[in-house]
Amino acid sequence: QVQPVESGGGLVQAGGSLRLSCAASGRTLRNYAVGWFRQTPGKERQLVAGISGTYRYYTDSVKGRFTISRDNGENTVYLQMNSLKPEDTAVYYCAVGGFAYSNPSQAGLYHTWGQGTQVTVSS
């Protein structure tokens, strides 16, 4: 069973950048789709970006600002977040599911979650 672990959250001013990391123990991440979700109090968890094989998915609000990538040698998936806005403030979760070439835009695909990392963007 693969278990993702997030890191890299923190406090940043609007316009700044952060890079989140999702490392895995147990199995190699390249055999799965990997997604980044975010959640704010009282709202449902939202799929922000996903990666699977050659597929990349981004929700509209982060297109052009966030980049998801994979380092197979490190068994890690990254989410590079640039031009951050206060509305990006949330707990960000890494999740794993499906197979190596599953469609990463399907939120229901993901079944194994990390513990989350807080991202706070100040105005």
Side-chain angles (χ1 to χ4, degrees):
Q1 181 76 9
V2 61
Q3 180 59 53
V5 177
E6 306 95 336
S7 61
L11 173 64
V12 64
Q13 289 188 332
S17 298
L18 282 174
R19 189 177 77 161
L20 305 183
S21 299
C22 175
S25 61
R27 295 189 180 182
T28 179
L29 283 177
R30 67 183 174 194
N31 292 336
Y32 302 89
V34 179
W36 283 99
F37 290 72
R38 65 186 180 191
Q39 188 172 26
T40 55
K43 293 190 176 182
E44 289 189 358
R45 202 168 289 186
Q46 176 196 24
L47 177 60
V48 173
I51 186 170
S52 177
T54 57
Y55 299 115
R56 306 290 185 270
Y57 165 79
Y58 301 96
T59 194
D60 286 345
S61 62
V62 308
K63 285 180 180 177
R65 300 189 298 123
F66 290 12
T67 303
I68 191 169
S69 62
R70 186 198 304 269
D71 184 331
N72 289 331
E74 297 293 328
N75 203 27
T76 301
V77 170
Y78 301 100
L79 185 67
Q80 178 68 44
M81 305 186 296
N82 299 328
S83 302
L84 282 162
K85 304 176 181 180
E87 51 264 42
D88 294 318
T89 295
V91 178
Y92 283 71
Y93 297 88
C94 178
V96 175
F99 303 97
Y101 286 91
S102 298
N103 185 342
S105 69
Q106 303 303 307
L109 180 70
Y110 301 94
H111 54 65
T112 303
W113 300 82
Q115 81 287 354
T117 185
Q118 177 69 46
V119 171
T120 303
V121 184
S122 63
S123 57

